[in-house]
Amino acid sequence: MRSSQFPLNTLKETPTEAEIISHQLMLRAGMIRRLASGLYTWSPLGLRVLRKVEAVVREEMEGIGALELLMPAIQPAELWQESGRWQKYGPELLRVKDRHDREFCVGPTHEEVISDYARRELKSYRQLPICYYQVQTKFRDEIRPRFGVMRAREFIMKDAYSFHADVESLRVTYQAMYDAYTRIFTRLGLKFRAVEADTGSIGGKGSHEFHVLADSGEDAIAYAVNGDYAANVEMAPTFPLKGGRAPATASLTRVATPNAKTIDEVAAFLNAPATKILKTLLVRGKETPVVAIILRGDHELNDIKATKHPLIADPFEFIPPAEAFTHTGANVGSLGPIGLNIPVIADFAAADCADFICGANEDGWHITGVNWGRDLPEPETADLRNAVEGDPAPDGQDKLAIARGIEVGHVFQLGTTYSEKMHCEFLDEHGKPATAIMGCYGIGVSRIVAAAIEQNHDDNGIVWPVPLAPFEVAIVPINGHRAPAVQAEAERLEAELTAQGFNVLLDDRGLRPGVAFADMELIGIPLRIVVSERGLAAGEYETRLRWESENKSIIADQLLAWIGQNLK
């Protein structure tokens, strides 16, 4: 491919709209262009990368026997009402009406559609198990689209759905899909982790997320430093202190704390660490109007864990600050667990504290030297917080570390979450109707492109893993427009490398070398080969691998072998 036939529309300056590296570099490299908020056109350059991701995904899906189909992007409201998600999904679901005033939505996912398809097509247990997949455009009406294609409203996803006669069959396919995802991300050259995860709005009982590791990742991953355990931080369990809490040594003291309402303010005013201060949060209860949650000052509430507690309402909801006084006699900032007439649940770490500080339930006052069992009843305890660096791993033999990740894949064991509601049934071996058991498996195809850039870049631009690069080789002839021998050799080399199966870009724009080199680095092409009169005279080429800082001179008759060693 020649650049005269494949325009490179690169930008020197970073667009002000771009917040993260992948968004900046995709715009600067000319891979995408913004149409509207959260909507992007993929250029021929960007589409080449996208198609490479799709090709690997399709190969691995077909390798485990998944069957490709294509479902409509526009879905009738009746299906979503049947599953119960028409209202539950919320404002991210873009609802539209046709000319007959019938309601539809633009699909953010396809559980309802595939369940409808399967209940029409699957009649007997002999047809199971079966797995369908598609690569298709989705739409989620994000309240604040940002980060380019990382959190766009329209995006491309591979979603697969399996149907089974029993749970064991689901487990087999789930493991096969898990292994296929592992191969996909490995083949794409990405550093990633598979972690235990919450099922979220999709539903089901068991799931794993696949995260590309990157400092800019929105998700926190907890993993065992020396072990195999890994989980989304919202799923990583925490545990009571081994050996129990320390004995009480301080006496109970009321202290005036004017204008000290936050943990940081109280810590500074009392010259105490946040680990010795307990905060009291008021949330909606399931059987009572209010429940008090007690956390250590340096810890963060995990509302997913909290919602699973039998006393806490689902969906999770904080009590508005205006209501706090009604239930405690104090305003937010002075709340504490002493003397409350509402249910109190303490996180394990909070229950392990001795001689702690808490609000006095009187504005402008706190209490120091507080101890469970002596100054207030022993609380009900639960795991209510996010895991942090240094927490014990679930095996009890290791410590947790925290890394940042970008979610690019998610696999679910749905069970009968959708098939039961939508009457997706088949006849079992006894001729009786049975509800199909389902699995669901998604990969963010367009998000992988951005995540790969977040993980692979430098000050000069993108550093593509070879399997993702739009072109593997860039040939730059120096003054080819004035040196016929140089241009002829560049064209001969392009033809030879193309015949060897490489995607080659011949830069025939006639630009100054520095400008041409800068474009190739920005775009991230793994190998640059310079053809020059001096090189021809010496019988060699000047080469530069994108991830290296120095040029190498390669003898002409050794070039193909050298490229094979470095790019294949």
Side-chain angles (χ1 to χ4, degrees):
M1 180 70 69
R2 303 188 183 186
S3 57
S4 57
Q5 302 168 322
F6 194 91
L8 301 177
N9 299 313
T10 58
L11 303 174
K12 290 184 178 180
E13 302 298 326
T14 300
T16 56
E17 69 190 81
E19 301 174 76
I20 60 173
I21 290 294
S22 60
H23 193 192
Q24 295 169 6
L25 292 178
M26 290 181 80
L27 289 171
R28 287 190 57 211
M31 293 178 62
I32 57 171
R33 290 292 182 256
R34 182 180 183 273
L35 176 65
S37 177
L39 303 176
Y40 291 89
T41 296
W42 288 77
S43 73
L45 181 72
L47 193 60
R48 289 180 72 92
V49 181
L50 198 64
R51 292 291 184 249
K52 286 196 168 186
V53 176
E54 290 179 9
V56 172
V57 168
R58 281 191 167 94
E59 287 176 15
E60 292 296 340
M61 288 300 98
E62 290 167 11
I64 60 172
L67 304 173
E68 186 170 10
L69 46 59
L70 185 63
M71 293 176 276
I74 305 298
Q75 306 177 18
E78 289 84 358
L79 290 182
W80 284 71
Q81 290 162 351
E82 194 175 346
S83 71
R85 289 206 298 176
W86 183 249
Q87 296 301 329
K88 186 177 180 179
Y89 205 91
E92 284 189 1
L93 189 66
L94 181 62
R95 297 163 172 84
V96 296
K97 290 185 178 182
D98 68 6
R99 68 178 66 195
H100 303 293
D101 208 34
R102 293 177 297 210
E103 289 188 298
F104 293 82
C105 67
V106 183
T109 183
H110 277 71
E111 284 80 15
E112 284 80 4
V113 178
I114 195 67
S115 296
D116 179 70
Y117 178 79
R119 67 186 175 185
R120 298 170 188 268
E121 300 296 321
L122 303 178
K123 306 300 182 185
S124 168
Y125 72 97
R126 293 187 177 89
Q127 295 172 274
L128 303 178
I130 194 167
C131 183
Y132 302 105
Y133 83 97
Q134 64 173 350
V135 179
Q136 202 234 38
T137 299
K138 311 285 188 187
F139 190 93
R140 295 178 186 172
D141 199 3
E142 295 274 359
I143 188 171
R144 184 178 165 234
R146 61 191 191 279
F147 306 154
V149 300
M150 188 77 77
R151 191 170 287 281
R153 292 194 291 170
E154 183 181 274
F155 55 96
I156 297 173
M157 176 185 280
K158 185 284 302 178
D159 47 324
Y161 307 90
S162 61
F163 295 84
H164 308 268
D166 55 56
V167 172
E168 183 55 35
S169 174
L170 168 61
R171 291 195 185 110
V172 171
T173 297
Y174 184 88
Q175 187 62 49
M177 193 67 69
Y178 181 101
D179 294 341
Y181 276 35
T182 299
R183 291 191 297 271
I184 287 169
F185 299 121
T186 300
R187 288 180 58 184
L188 293 176
L190 300 173
K191 298 182 183 70
F192 69 96
R193 267 191 178 270
V195 304
E196 295 177 11
D198 184 68
T199 56
S201 63
I202 300 296
K205 293 186 177 180
S207 74
H208 286 83
E209 292 173 349
F210 288 78
H211 287 261
V212 168
L213 302 180
D215 291 339
S216 59
E218 289 186 282
D219 294 306
I221 299 166
Y223 65 94
V225 175
N226 299 305
D228 296 329
Y229 176 80
N232 192 304
V233 73
E234 67 191 16
M235 289 292 290
T238 64
F239 306 94
L241 186 68
K242 284 187 176 180
R245 75 171 78 99
T249 60
S251 58
L252 197 70
T253 306
R254 292 180 78 254
V255 180
T257 51
N259 302 318
K261 298 179 180 180
T262 68
I263 294 295
D264 288 342
E265 290 169 349
V266 174
F269 187 85
L270 297 177
N271 192 28
T275 56
K276 297 292 288 184
I277 304 171
L278 299 192
K279 54 188 174 184
T280 300
L281 308 175
L282 302 183
V283 302
R284 294 289 181 205
K286 187 171 292 183
E287 299 178 355
T288 58
V290 182
V291 172
I293 292 176
I294 314 299
L295 292 177
R296 215 170 70 180
D298 60 326
H299 287 158
E300 181 181 349
L301 176 68
N302 184 315
D303 58 359
I304 292 175
K305 292 180 179 179
T307 303
K308 294 175 181 177
H309 193 283
L311 294 181
I312 297 174
D314 183 9
F316 181 86
E317 181 185 357
F318 282 109
I319 296 298
E323 288 187 34
F325 191 89
T326 302
H327 300 289
T328 66
N331 290 301
V332 173
S334 298
L335 305 183
I338 297 178
L340 290 182
N341 293 316
I342 57 177
V344 174
I345 310 169
D347 175 69
F348 290 141
D352 287 333
C353 287
D355 298 335
F356 60 83
I357 301 166
C358 65
N361 290 325
E362 182 179 349
D363 290 352
W365 291 84
H366 279 74
I367 303 176
T368 65
V370 184
N371 285 274
W372 299 105
R374 186 192 72 179
D375 307 312
L376 71 169
E378 291 287 351
E380 178 174 346
T381 61
D383 175 11
L384 297 171
R385 66 176 175 90
N386 287 335
V388 297
E389 191 102 13
D391 276 341
D395 62 9
Q397 305 300 315
D398 204 355
K399 297 289 186 182
L400 292 178
I402 306 295
R404 306 302 302 182
I406 300 167
E407 184 188 345
V408 290
H410 206 157
V411 292
F412 302 84
Q413 296 183 51
L414 287 180
T416 58
T417 302
Y418 294 89
S419 53
E420 187 171 356
K421 292 178 181 177
M422 301 189 68
H423 305 289
C424 180
E425 298 178 338
F426 62 94
L427 294 180
D428 64 17
E429 61 269 32
H430 305 294
K432 296 181 178 179
T435 301
I437 298 171
M438 292 177 61
C440 169
Y441 322 93
I443 280 183
V445 174
S446 49
R447 178 175 261 219
I448 285 174
V449 177
I453 295 172
E454 291 293 330
Q455 191 179 82
N456 300 277
H457 66 272
D458 61 18
D459 292 342
N460 296 322
I462 303 167
V463 186
W464 288 117
V466 174
L468 281 170
F471 298 94
E472 288 116 11
V473 181
I475 299 173
V476 182
I478 304 299
N479 296 323
H481 57 295
R482 293 201 301 263
V486 168
Q487 188 64 28
E489 175 59 17
E491 292 175 1
R492 185 203 67 78
L493 186 58
E494 177 205 7
E496 182 178 21
L497 292 177
T498 300
Q500 293 291 322
F502 293 100
N503 294 312
V504 182
L505 180 65
L506 172 58
D507 191 350
D508 61 351
R509 296 175 295 173
L511 301 175
R512 289 183 291 107
V515 176
F517 296 167
D519 272 354
M520 297 306 116
E521 290 185 333
L522 173 61
I523 292 167
I525 298 178
L527 173 61
R528 183 182 76 212
I529 302 175
V530 174
V531 181
S532 65
E533 290 182 300
R534 184 173 64 180
L536 290 179
E540 61 187 25
Y541 302 101
E542 179 187 286
T543 67
R544 169 80 72 89
L545 291 168
R546 180 63 183 85
W547 50 87
E548 294 185 349
S549 58
E550 301 293 334
N551 297 332
K552 289 183 180 178
S553 294
I554 305 297
I555 297 173
D557 61 5
Q558 297 178 0
L559 182 66
L560 279 179
W562 183 83
I563 294 175
Q565 291 172 357
N566 286 276
L567 296 190
K568 287 296 186 180

